[in-house]
Amino acid sequence: MSMQVLYDQATIAARIATLSREIRAVYPDGASVHLVAVLKGAFVFLADLMRAIEGPVTCDFIAVSSYGAGKTSSGEVRLNKDLDRSLQGRHVIIVEDIVDTGLTLSYLQEILRARDPLSLRTACLLSKPSRRKVDVAVEFIGFTIEDRFVVGYGLDFDERHRNLPYIGVLEGEA
Ligand code: IMP
Ligand code: MG
């Protein structure tokens, strides 16, 4: 197994600084934004993104699973942990680590839209558009990447590598 660095710490930090300003610019002055992070992969991205967004910001967590121990989606999404608070009247942003087939995100958008938020948008750190199976709207994208399996900065392969401070491509593992 070998690891190739795709985006180093400085590159990620710079992109998040810009992304946070892009996000803030979309909302009315002084509006509070409510970040809904998708566990577990998005927790590192959330921590950096949340601190970069100026003004009032709150957060909540939801956990879903769509992948087994391997690299391919089962196509089935399961809700493992629901939100603590209502979304009613809030400007909600779903915070995802990566949008691959789009199945997880389309499921989340559907169940969260039904909860009557003031607005619902999505921010993902990474997007693999060539892998889409469903057409989902993603308003804020950190990096658009090729069809490669990436780890680090919260992303895992079989629960490993989430602690890497960079985003890397794992090669030579099943
Ligand atoms: P989707 O439902 O196929 O869009 O997959 C979304 C989820 O699959 C993400 O939230 C990740 O947890 C996982 N995933 C997809 N691609 C990768 C990858 O390249 N590395 C690590 N996890 C991935
Ligand atoms: Mg994962």
Side-chain angles (χ1 to χ4, degrees), residues 37-100:
V38 186
L39 294 172
K40 294 176 226 166
F43 83 100
V44 177
F45 178 41
L46 174 83
D48 285 343
L49 184 70
M50 187 172 188
R51 285 178 292 175
I53 298 173
E54 286 181 10
V57 185
T58 55
C59 72
D60 203 345
F61 296 89
I62 196 165
V64 292
S65 53
S66 62
Y67 272 58
K71 291 181 183 175
T72 48
S73 176
S74 64
E76 196 181 298
V77 185
R78 199 176 62 201
L79 182 64
N80 296 332
K81 181 223 173 284
D82 205 344
L83 299 171
D84 292 338
R85 297 293 191 93
S86 156
L87 298 184
Q88 223 164 12
R90 295 183 200 264
H91 287 295
V92 174
I93 305 176
I94 300 172
V95 177
E96 250 289 36
D97 54 357
I98 186 164
V99 182
D100 187 37

